[in-house]
Amino acid sequence: MVAPKKGKNASAQSKPGRSLALILIAIVALTGGMFASGHTTPRLGIDLAGGTSITLRAVPEAGQESAINKTNMDTAVEIMNRRVNGLGVSEAEVQTQGDRNIIVNIPKGTNSKEARQQVGTTAKLYFRPVLATELSGANATGSPSPSEAGGATDKATDKATDKATDGDKATDGDKATDGDKASGTPSDSASASATSQGRAASDALKADPSPSAKSSDGAAPSPSASAPGDDAAAKLQQQYAALDCTDQGARAKAGKGAKPDEQTVACGQNSQGQWQKYILGPAAVDGTEVDEAKAVYNTQTAAGWTVTMKFTDKGSKKFADITGKLAQNQSPQNQFAIVLDNEVVSDPYVSQALTGGNAEISGSFDQEEAQSLANMLSYGALPLTFKEDSVTTVTAALGGEQLHAGLIAGAIGLALVVLYLLFYYRGLSFIAVCSLLVSAGLTYVIMALLGPTIGFALNLPAVCGAIVAIGITADSFIVYFERVRDEIREGRTLRPAVERAWPRARRTILVSDFVSFLAAAVLFIVTVGKVQGFAFTLGLTTLLDVVVVFLFTKPLLTLMARRKFFSSGHKWSGLDPKALGAKPPLRRTRRPSRPAAGPVDPKEA
């Protein structure tokens, strides 16, 4: 009998419990994390849970083919995410597909028709003057007059204090603190009753601070200039008074259908997370007239992260005109609202006309906030439209049927593998089945954890990938078992055979799993959409196969080799030497001893 070599193999043979304890600790930790997270089932994709999947294709304007690039597509994804969230959708997915497609997956319970209208419409960005604003919802204090609205809200000292300055030249006066600039001087109407406040706001609606309403002396237009009808003003005031921006449905309807040259109401959120409602004047500058917007860190002043804007020639003239008029007013009428999809994303104030074609918005931005605002400003000038390529709606019932069918297919595949193992490997099938159960348990727990962490959703192709993985995992066990049986055929007993077979089996398993993982990785990179789910699951289960074989299958077989049922070669163990056609046991042959040295007899010589 060949004794195992001392050293690494002997140590691994004598202490297989360490590996088993390690994988047991990992299983317990992952399972505990799954229950602690509250997500005890994998997140299901649209094709299994039901919902709507919309494929949009980017179409550039004539001569703007270069507009289809990663930056613009990522910006479009961000805007569409905002739109989907505005519908009150949870767990929706918006992602790029290839270089010019966007996939929007919206789970069940959402109005698919409204969702298609929202994500398929080109975003509209406008710069509108602020006429009145106040907190909305539980913290609202009534309808303030335009002169006091800025001082009556947190907006004046928070998000509304964002300041627009000339990007080329800023005077010392422009560098005054935001709080001082935004608060303004309250007028005598600050202590007026709600009735007088409402009347003041109604009067303000008659002012038209658009670039076209310009007096001969350059002063701000009077309230009678370009005044809309009293009925329209009264209706808008009623909308403003009734608007509750804390209500998601009300936010979605606010300002809907308003034309660019009309006054409107809108909602926005300040940096404290409070909702604010606005009365806005006609659009003064169109978002398409923003030539470029960037988030930059201002090292020359203490402004920190700022957003710079560069306008087209036409936009520069309009922006200089409107900022010149707004600078003559008190807060909040010295602010302009940047409105995207009828929602105010920023409302900086101005203290002078910005005539250089460049502007800078500063405030208490961090990098992420500045980049987000810059992206939104850029989207207003994005020379792209999106066309629907396909819309797939899956009912929850159909998704449930597909999931049920996938689980049945997986159960059938697993049952066939187990039957084959029982028929061919007999007792060894116990080790294989235990290994398959450990692999399945790890796969389930990890998929459940990946849902809330990275947004992984189990779709039908992913289920197919898990079914294919059953065969890959079983193949690794078969490779090892056959190596062990080859050693027994060579005449070795079980315990040495287990250790001698492992290095060769390990090499084969690693090469096979590497090829499978490489194929899954390439498939994940070059494909998009649901096929990526198949590739991801296949890659994940391939990695888990390596972990299970090294930390569970090999140590368990080492322990089982010490049991009499296996070591004696029982006919039901799957390791019967006689059934395997083993050679006689290998034994060391003793060399004949040499005679002791002594004088040589001449006759014998």
Side-chain angles (χ1 to χ4, degrees):
M1 182 179 69
V2 179
K5 294 181 180 179
K6 293 182 179 180
K8 186 175 180 180
N9 287 344
S11 177
Q13 180 183 6
S14 60
K15 298 180 180 179
R18 291 183 178 181
S19 299
L20 292 174
L22 180 61
I23 195 168
L24 178 62
I25 292 172
I27 293 173
V28 171
L30 289 171
T31 305
M34 179 184 71
F35 282 102
S37 68
H39 296 83
T40 56
T41 56
R43 180 184 171 193
L44 300 181
I46 295 297
D47 54 351
L48 297 180
T52 303
S53 180
I54 307 170
T55 302
L56 301 171
R57 176 171 46 88
V59 179
E61 293 180 359
Q64 297 283 342
E65 284 293 334
S66 61
I68 301 180
N69 54 54
K70 186 179 186 303
T71 301
N72 288 347
M73 294 295 287
D74 288 345
T75 302
V77 166
E78 182 178 351
I79 299 301
M80 290 180 188
N81 253 321
R82 288 171 58 87
R83 291 180 171 186
V84 172
N85 291 333
L87 295 173
V89 178
S90 60
E91 298 185 350
E93 297 176 357
V94 183
Q95 59 187 1
T96 56
Q97 184 185 56
D99 60 347
R100 63 176 59 220
N101 293 330
I102 291 178
I103 303 296
V104 183
N105 291 326
I106 303 172
K108 62 183 178 181
T110 305
N111 187 323
S112 59
K113 183 178 180 181
E114 184 180 2
R116 290 173 61 183
Q117 292 174 345
Q118 287 288 334
V119 300
T121 306
T122 304
K124 298 297 183 182
L125 180 74
Y126 297 108
F127 292 76
R128 290 178 177 268
V130 176
L131 301 182
T133 181
E134 67 169 311
L135 282 177
S136 181
N139 296 323
T141 57
S143 299
S145 65
S147 61
E148 72 176 315
T153 67
D154 290 343
K155 201 78 169 181
T157 57
D158 213 320
K159 184 179 175 183
T161 61
D162 295 347
K163 177 182 176 184
T165 56
D166 196 312
D168 295 329
K169 53 183 180 179
T171 64
D172 293 338
D174 295 333
K175 297 177 183 178
T177 62
D178 289 345
D180 292 338
K181 286 288 183 182
S183 61
T185 303
S187 66
D188 294 337
S189 64
S191 59
S193 65
T195 304
S196 62
Q197 289 173 356
R199 187 183 305 112
S202 180
D203 291 340
L205 296 179
K206 298 178 182 178
D208 182 6
S210 64
S212 60
K214 183 176 180 181
S215 59
S216 58
D217 58 357
S222 64
S224 61
S226 304
D230 290 339
D231 291 343
K235 184 178 179 181
L236 193 60
Q237 175 59 27
Q238 289 174 0
Q239 292 177 5
Y240 178 73
L243 179 60
D244 180 6
C245 291
T246 60
D247 180 79
Q248 195 165 7
R251 289 199 304 270
K253 295 178 182 178
K256 209 166 188 178
K259 297 179 181 178
D261 59 351
E262 295 176 346
Q263 296 174 350
T264 186
V265 295
C267 294
Q269 198 171 20
N270 62 28
S271 60
Q272 293 181 346
Q274 297 170 310
W275 283 101
Q276 195 107 1
K277 62 180 179 180
Y278 297 82
I279 299 176
L280 305 176
V285 183
D286 195 297
T288 58
E289 292 164 340
V290 177
D291 188 47
E292 185 181 39
K294 292 181 179 179
V296 298
Y297 189 80
N298 195 327
T299 57
Q300 298 178 351
T301 66
W305 282 98
T306 63
V307 178
T308 60
M309 296 182 292
K310 180 181 179 183
F311 292 89
T312 62
D313 292 340
K314 184 179 178 181
S316 298
K317 296 175 183 178
K318 291 183 179 181
F319 193 68
D321 192 10
I322 185 61
T323 54
K325 294 169 183 175
L326 294 179
Q328 302 176 40
N329 300 332
Q330 290 182 332
S331 177
Q333 290 186 333
N334 64 344
Q335 297 171 218
F336 62 84
I338 301 173
V339 186
L340 179 66
D341 284 341
N342 300 320
E343 182 179 327
V344 177
V345 296
S346 184
D347 56 354
Y349 73 94
V350 293
S351 56
Q352 67 172 19
L354 306 180
T355 59
N358 296 301
E360 180 182 87
I361 301 176
S362 61
S364 54
F365 293 124
D366 58 26
Q367 183 178 4
E368 184 178 352
E369 291 169 341
Q371 188 62 58
S372 177
L373 178 57
N375 288 345
M376 292 175 193
L377 290 168
S378 298
Y379 193 80
L382 206 61
L384 293 175
T385 56
F386 289 90
K387 305 293 184 183
E388 279 187 5
D389 264 4
S390 65
V391 178
T392 304
T393 301
V394 180
T395 64
L398 180 58
E401 290 175 2
Q402 291 177 334
L403 178 60
H404 185 66
L407 293 176
I408 290 177
I412 292 173
L414 182 60
L416 290 175
V417 170
V418 171
L419 287 174
Y420 170 78
L421 292 172
L422 285 171
F423 175 77
Y424 194 73
Y425 289 107
R426 301 186 180 183
L428 282 177
S429 62
F430 168 76
I431 300 172
V433 171
C434 289
S435 300
L436 282 171
L437 291 176
V438 170
S439 180
L442 284 172
T443 302
Y444 180 90
V445 172
I446 291 175
M447 284 184 176
L449 289 172
L450 289 178
T453 52
I454 65 170
F456 171 75
L458 186 66
N459 53 25
L460 196 57
V463 173
C464 295
I467 295 172
V468 171
I470 295 174
I472 295 175
T473 304
D475 184 58
S476 298
F477 308 152
I478 291 172
V479 168
Y480 187 26
F481 294 162
E482 287 301 322
R483 292 293 188 188
V484 173
R485 298 173 95 177
D486 285 344
E487 293 295 330
I488 292 175
R489 291 188 183 98
E490 292 295 324
R492 293 180 177 84
T493 56
L494 181 58
R495 292 180 67 175
V498 168
E499 299 306 320
R500 289 179 62 89
W502 175 240
R504 290 190 296 168
R506 177 180 59 200
R507 202 161 38 241
T508 304
I509 291 169
L510 288 175
V511 170
S512 175
D513 283 345
F514 175 76
V515 172
S516 296
F517 182 80
L518 184 62
V522 171
L523 192 63
F524 184 85
I525 293 171
V526 302
T527 59
V528 290
K530 295 179 180 180
V531 180
Q532 284 186 329
F534 173 84
F536 183 86
T537 307
L538 184 62
L540 174 64
T541 50
T542 301
L543 290 177
L544 289 178
D545 175 47
V546 176
V547 173
V548 170
V549 169
F550 275 69
L551 298 183
F552 186 82
T553 307
K554 163 59 171 60
L556 185 60
L557 184 55
T558 300
L559 287 178
M560 293 296 104
R562 300 174 183 177
R563 300 294 181 267
K564 184 178 179 181
F565 177 78
F566 288 97
S567 62
S568 63
H570 192 282
K571 65 178 182 179
W572 289 104
S573 67
L575 298 169
D576 181 9
K578 187 179 296 185
L580 295 175
K583 297 178 181 178
L586 293 177
R587 299 184 181 275
R588 292 181 181 272
T589 56
R590 304 181 69 178
R591 295 180 181 179
S593 57
R594 298 179 61 181
V600 179
D601 189 342
K603 293 181 179 180
E604 293 180 359

PDB file of all heavy atoms in Angstrom, residues 390-415:
ATOM      1  N   SER A 390     -40.205  48.820 -29.272  1.00  0.00           N
ATOM      2  CA  SER A 390     -41.103  47.733 -28.873  1.00  0.00           C
ATOM      3  C   SER A 390     -41.638  47.993 -27.483  1.00  0.00           C
ATOM      4  O   SER A 390     -40.994  48.657 -26.672  1.00  0.00           O
ATOM      5  CB  SER A 390     -40.369  46.379 -28.893  1.00  0.00           C
ATOM      6  OG  SER A 390     -39.349  46.360 -27.922  1.00  0.00           O
ATOM      7  N   VAL A 391     -42.836  47.492 -27.229  1.00  0.00           N
ATOM      8  CA  VAL A 391     -43.466  47.559 -25.908  1.00  0.00           C
ATOM      9  C   VAL A 391     -44.029  46.172 -25.608  1.00  0.00           C
ATOM     10  O   VAL A 391     -44.849  45.659 -26.361  1.00  0.00           O
ATOM     11  CB  VAL A 391     -44.595  48.616 -25.854  1.00  0.00           C
ATOM     12  CG1 VAL A 391     -45.254  48.602 -24.473  1.00  0.00           C
ATOM     13  CG2 VAL A 391     -44.054  49.995 -26.182  1.00  0.00           C
ATOM     14  N   THR A 392     -43.552  45.587 -24.527  1.00  0.00           N
ATOM     15  CA  THR A 392     -44.008  44.255 -24.128  1.00  0.00           C
ATOM     16  C   THR A 392     -44.673  44.348 -22.765  1.00  0.00           C
ATOM     17  O   THR A 392     -44.061  44.825 -21.806  1.00  0.00           O
ATOM     18  CB  THR A 392     -42.830  43.266 -24.056  1.00  0.00           C
ATOM     19  OG1 THR A 392     -42.163  43.245 -25.319  1.00  0.00           O
ATOM     20  CG2 THR A 392     -43.326  41.866 -23.718  1.00  0.00           C
ATOM     21  N   THR A 393     -45.915  43.911 -22.710  1.00  0.00           N
ATOM     22  CA  THR A 393     -46.654  43.914 -21.450  1.00  0.00           C
ATOM     23  C   THR A 393     -46.916  42.469 -21.038  1.00  0.00           C
ATOM     24  O   THR A 393     -47.473  41.688 -21.810  1.00  0.00           O
ATOM     25  CB  THR A 393     -47.985  44.676 -21.579  1.00  0.00           C
ATOM     26  OG1 THR A 393     -47.698  46.025 -21.968  1.00  0.00           O
ATOM     27  CG2 THR A 393     -48.736  44.678 -20.260  1.00  0.00           C
ATOM     28  N   VAL A 394     -46.478  42.123 -19.836  1.00  0.00           N
ATOM     29  CA  VAL A 394     -46.648  40.774 -19.306  1.00  0.00           C
ATOM     30  C   VAL A 394     -47.535  40.861 -18.073  1.00  0.00           C
ATOM     31  O   VAL A 394     -47.232  41.618 -17.148  1.00  0.00           O
ATOM     32  CB  VAL A 394     -45.292  40.138 -18.938  1.00  0.00           C
ATOM     33  CG1 VAL A 394     -45.495  38.732 -18.375  1.00  0.00           C
ATOM     34  CG2 VAL A 394     -44.382  40.103 -20.144  1.00  0.00           C
ATOM     35  N   THR A 395     -48.614  40.132 -18.065  1.00  0.00           N
ATOM     36  CA  THR A 395     -49.491  40.130 -16.899  1.00  0.00           C
ATOM     37  C   THR A 395     -48.850  39.321 -15.784  1.00  0.00           C
ATOM     38  O   THR A 395     -47.988  38.459 -16.016  1.00  0.00           O
ATOM     39  CB  THR A 395     -50.862  39.528 -17.241  1.00  0.00           C
ATOM     40  OG1 THR A 395     -50.683  38.148 -17.600  1.00  0.00           O
ATOM     41  CG2 THR A 395     -51.511  40.285 -18.386  1.00  0.00           C
ATOM     42  N   ALA A 396     -49.272  39.595 -14.566  1.00  0.00           N
ATOM     43  CA  ALA A 396     -48.731  38.865 -13.421  1.00  0.00           C
ATOM     44  C   ALA A 396     -49.050  37.375 -13.528  1.00  0.00           C
ATOM     45  O   ALA A 396     -48.253  36.519 -13.142  1.00  0.00           O
ATOM     46  CB  ALA A 396     -49.306  39.434 -12.130  1.00  0.00           C
ATOM     47  N   ALA A 397     -50.241  37.055 -14.091  1.00  0.00           N
ATOM     48  CA  ALA A 397     -50.632  35.654 -14.235  1.00  0.00           C
ATOM     49  C   ALA A 397     -49.704  34.923 -15.204  1.00  0.00           C
ATOM     50  O   ALA A 397     -49.246  33.807 -14.940  1.00  0.00           O
ATOM     51  CB  ALA A 397     -52.074  35.560 -14.721  1.00  0.00           C
ATOM     52  N   LEU A 398     -49.400  35.578 -16.353  1.00  0.00           N
ATOM     53  CA  LEU A 398     -48.501  34.966 -17.331  1.00  0.00           C
ATOM     54  C   LEU A 398     -47.105  34.814 -16.752  1.00  0.00           C
ATOM     55  O   LEU A 398     -46.441  33.794 -16.941  1.00  0.00           O
ATOM     56  CB  LEU A 398     -48.464  35.802 -18.610  1.00  0.00           C
ATOM     57  CG  LEU A 398     -47.563  35.282 -19.747  1.00  0.00           C
ATOM     58  CD1 LEU A 398     -47.987  33.886 -20.145  1.00  0.00           C
ATOM     59  CD2 LEU A 398     -47.611  36.232 -20.929  1.00  0.00           C
ATOM     60  N   GLY A 399     -46.649  35.844 -16.020  1.00  0.00           N
ATOM     61  CA  GLY A 399     -45.336  35.755 -15.394  1.00  0.00           C
ATOM     62  C   GLY A 399     -45.267  34.620 -14.395  1.00  0.00           C
ATOM     63  O   GLY A 399     -44.275  33.891 -14.321  1.00  0.00           O
ATOM     64  N   GLY A 400     -46.359  34.444 -13.616  1.00  0.00           N
ATOM     65  CA  GLY A 400     -46.396  33.345 -12.658  1.00  0.00           C
ATOM     66  C   GLY A 400     -46.344  31.993 -13.343  1.00  0.00           C
ATOM     67  O   GLY A 400     -45.682  31.055 -12.869  1.00  0.00           O
ATOM     68  N   GLU A 401     -47.008  31.873 -14.487  1.00  0.00           N
ATOM     69  CA  GLU A 401     -46.984  30.619 -15.245  1.00  0.00           C
ATOM     70  C   GLU A 401     -45.574  30.327 -15.758  1.00  0.00           C
ATOM     71  O   GLU A 401     -45.115  29.179 -15.726  1.00  0.00           O
ATOM     72  CB  GLU A 401     -47.962  30.703 -16.412  1.00  0.00           C
ATOM     73  CG  GLU A 401     -49.439  30.710 -15.985  1.00  0.00           C
ATOM     74  CD  GLU A 401     -50.367  30.907 -17.158  1.00  0.00           C
ATOM     75  OE1 GLU A 401     -49.862  30.994 -18.300  1.00  0.00           O
ATOM     76  OE2 GLU A 401     -51.595  30.962 -16.956  1.00  0.00           O
ATOM     77  N   GLN A 402     -44.890  31.373 -16.236  1.00  0.00           N
ATOM     78  CA  GLN A 402     -43.531  31.183 -16.742  1.00  0.00           C
ATOM     79  C   GLN A 402     -42.586  30.759 -15.613  1.00  0.00           C
ATOM     80  O   GLN A 402     -41.736  29.880 -15.797  1.00  0.00           O
ATOM     81  CB  GLN A 402     -43.039  32.479 -17.391  1.00  0.00           C
ATOM     82  CG  GLN A 402     -43.748  32.817 -18.687  1.00  0.00           C
ATOM     83  CD  GLN A 402     -43.294  34.139 -19.276  1.00  0.00           C
ATOM     84  OE1 GLN A 402     -42.835  35.019 -18.555  1.00  0.00           O
ATOM     85  NE2 GLN A 402     -43.428  34.295 -20.565  1.00  0.00           N
ATOM     86  N   LEU A 403     -42.738  31.391 -14.452  1.00  0.00           N
ATOM     87  CA  LEU A 403     -41.907  31.021 -13.315  1.00  0.00           C
ATOM     88  C   LEU A 403     -42.190  29.590 -12.890  1.00  0.00           C
ATOM     89  O   LEU A 403     -41.260  28.813 -12.606  1.00  0.00           O
ATOM     90  CB  LEU A 403     -42.162  31.983 -12.154  1.00  0.00           C
ATOM     91  CG  LEU A 403     -41.391  31.702 -10.859  1.00  0.00           C
ATOM     92  CD1 LEU A 403     -39.893  31.752 -11.106  1.00  0.00           C
ATOM     93  CD2 LEU A 403     -41.785  32.686  -9.773  1.00  0.00           C
ATOM     94  N   HIS A 404     -43.462  29.231 -12.856  1.00  0.00           N
ATOM     95  CA  HIS A 404     -43.846  27.870 -12.483  1.00  0.00           C
ATOM     96  C   HIS A 404     -43.247  26.857 -13.460  1.00  0.00           C
ATOM     97  O   HIS A 404     -42.714  25.812 -13.046  1.00  0.00           O
ATOM     98  CB  HIS A 404     -45.379  27.762 -12.470  1.00  0.00           C
ATOM     99  CG  HIS A 404     -45.893  26.441 -11.993  1.00  0.00           C
ATOM    100  ND1 HIS A 404     -45.719  25.995 -10.703  1.00  0.00           N
ATOM    101  CD2 HIS A 404     -46.596  25.453 -12.646  1.00  0.00           C
ATOM    102  CE1 HIS A 404     -46.281  24.794 -10.569  1.00  0.00           C
ATOM    103  NE2 HIS A 404     -46.814  24.447 -11.734  1.00  0.00           N
ATOM    104  N   ALA A 405     -43.322  27.171 -14.758  1.00  0.00           N
ATOM    105  CA  ALA A 405     -42.768  26.269 -15.768  1.00  0.00           C
ATOM    106  C   ALA A 405     -41.251  26.160 -15.627  1.00  0.00           C
ATOM    107  O   ALA A 405     -40.680  25.064 -15.768  1.00  0.00           O
ATOM    108  CB  ALA A 405     -43.132  26.772 -17.167  1.00  0.00           C
ATOM    109  N   GLY A 406     -40.592  27.284 -15.326  1.00  0.00           N
ATOM    110  CA  GLY A 406     -39.141  27.259 -15.144  1.00  0.00           C
ATOM    111  C   GLY A 406     -38.728  26.425 -13.947  1.00  0.00           C
ATOM    112  O   GLY A 406     -37.741  25.667 -14.004  1.00  0.00           O
ATOM    113  N   LEU A 407     -39.482  26.543 -12.860  1.00  0.00           N
ATOM    114  CA  LEU A 407     -39.172  25.753 -11.666  1.00  0.00           C
ATOM    115  C   LEU A 407     -39.397  24.264 -11.915  1.00  0.00           C
ATOM    116  O   LEU A 407     -38.623  23.417 -11.446  1.00  0.00           O
ATOM    117  CB  LEU A 407     -40.035  26.231 -10.490  1.00  0.00           C
ATOM    118  CG  LEU A 407     -39.728  27.646  -9.973  1.00  0.00           C
ATOM    119  CD1 LEU A 407     -40.708  28.027  -8.883  1.00  0.00           C
ATOM    120  CD2 LEU A 407     -38.297  27.737  -9.467  1.00  0.00           C
ATOM    121  N   ILE A 408     -40.446  23.939 -12.669  1.00  0.00           N
ATOM    122  CA  ILE A 408     -40.693  22.528 -13.007  1.00  0.00           C
ATOM    123  C   ILE A 408     -39.556  21.974 -13.851  1.00  0.00           C
ATOM    124  O   ILE A 408     -39.067  20.861 -13.636  1.00  0.00           O
ATOM    125  CB  ILE A 408     -42.041  22.382 -13.737  1.00  0.00           C
ATOM    126  CG1 ILE A 408     -43.200  22.647 -12.772  1.00  0.00           C
ATOM    127  CG2 ILE A 408     -42.174  20.980 -14.346  1.00  0.00           C
ATOM    128  CD1 ILE A 408     -44.564  22.604 -13.432  1.00  0.00           C
ATOM    129  N   ALA A 409     -39.103  22.784 -14.835  1.00  0.00           N
ATOM    130  CA  ALA A 409     -37.987  22.341 -15.685  1.00  0.00           C
ATOM    131  C   ALA A 409     -36.727  22.120 -14.850  1.00  0.00           C
ATOM    132  O   ALA A 409     -35.998  21.136 -15.047  1.00  0.00           O
ATOM    133  CB  ALA A 409     -37.725  23.387 -16.774  1.00  0.00           C
ATOM    134  N   GLY A 410     -36.487  23.025 -13.895  1.00  0.00           N
ATOM    135  CA  GLY A 410     -35.326  22.859 -13.028  1.00  0.00           C
ATOM    136  C   GLY A 410     -35.433  21.622 -12.155  1.00  0.00           C
ATOM    137  O   GLY A 410     -34.445  20.897 -11.967  1.00  0.00           O
ATOM    138  N   ALA A 411     -36.628  21.365 -11.636  1.00  0.00           N
ATOM    139  CA  ALA A 411     -36.831  20.186 -10.795  1.00  0.00           C
ATOM    140  C   ALA A 411     -36.637  18.904 -11.599  1.00  0.00           C
ATOM    141  O   ALA A 411     -36.035  17.929 -11.109  1.00  0.00           O
ATOM    142  CB  ALA A 411     -38.230  20.224 -10.182  1.00  0.00           C
ATOM    143  N   ILE A 412     -37.127  18.896 -12.835  1.00  0.00           N
ATOM    144  CA  ILE A 412     -36.960  17.713 -13.686  1.00  0.00           C
ATOM    145  C   ILE A 412     -35.481  17.477 -13.985  1.00  0.00           C
ATOM    146  O   ILE A 412     -34.971  16.349 -13.914  1.00  0.00           O
ATOM    147  CB  ILE A 412     -37.759  17.868 -14.991  1.00  0.00           C
ATOM    148  CG1 ILE A 412     -39.265  17.843 -14.694  1.00  0.00           C
ATOM    149  CG2 ILE A 412     -37.393  16.772 -15.988  1.00  0.00           C
ATOM    150  CD1 ILE A 412     -40.132  18.148 -15.902  1.00  0.00           C
ATOM    151  N   GLY A 413     -34.762  18.554 -14.327  1.00  0.00           N
ATOM    152  CA  GLY A 413     -33.343  18.433 -14.602  1.00  0.00           C
ATOM    153  C   GLY A 413     -32.567  17.925 -13.398  1.00  0.00           C
ATOM    154  O   GLY A 413     -31.696  17.050 -13.517  1.00  0.00           O
ATOM    155  N   LEU A 414     -32.903  18.453 -12.216  1.00  0.00           N
ATOM    156  CA  LEU A 414     -32.228  18.017 -10.994  1.00  0.00           C
ATOM    157  C   LEU A 414     -32.545  16.559 -10.692  1.00  0.00           C
ATOM    158  O   LEU A 414     -31.658  15.786 -10.296  1.00  0.00           O
ATOM    159  CB  LEU A 414     -32.657  18.911  -9.831  1.00  0.00           C
ATOM    160  CG  LEU A 414     -32.003  18.626  -8.470  1.00  0.00           C
ATOM    161  CD1 LEU A 414     -30.491  18.785  -8.565  1.00  0.00           C
ATOM    162  CD2 LEU A 414     -32.579  19.541  -7.402  1.00  0.00           C
ATOM    163  N   ALA A 415     -33.795  16.163 -10.887  1.00  0.00           N
ATOM    164  CA  ALA A 415     -34.187  14.782 -10.623  1.00  0.00           C
ATOM    165  C   ALA A 415     -33.455  13.811 -11.548  1.00  0.00           C
ATOM    166  O   ALA A 415     -32.995  12.736 -11.115  1.00  0.00           O
ATOM    167  CB  ALA A 415     -35.696  14.626 -10.788  1.00  0.00           C
TER     168      ALA A 415
END
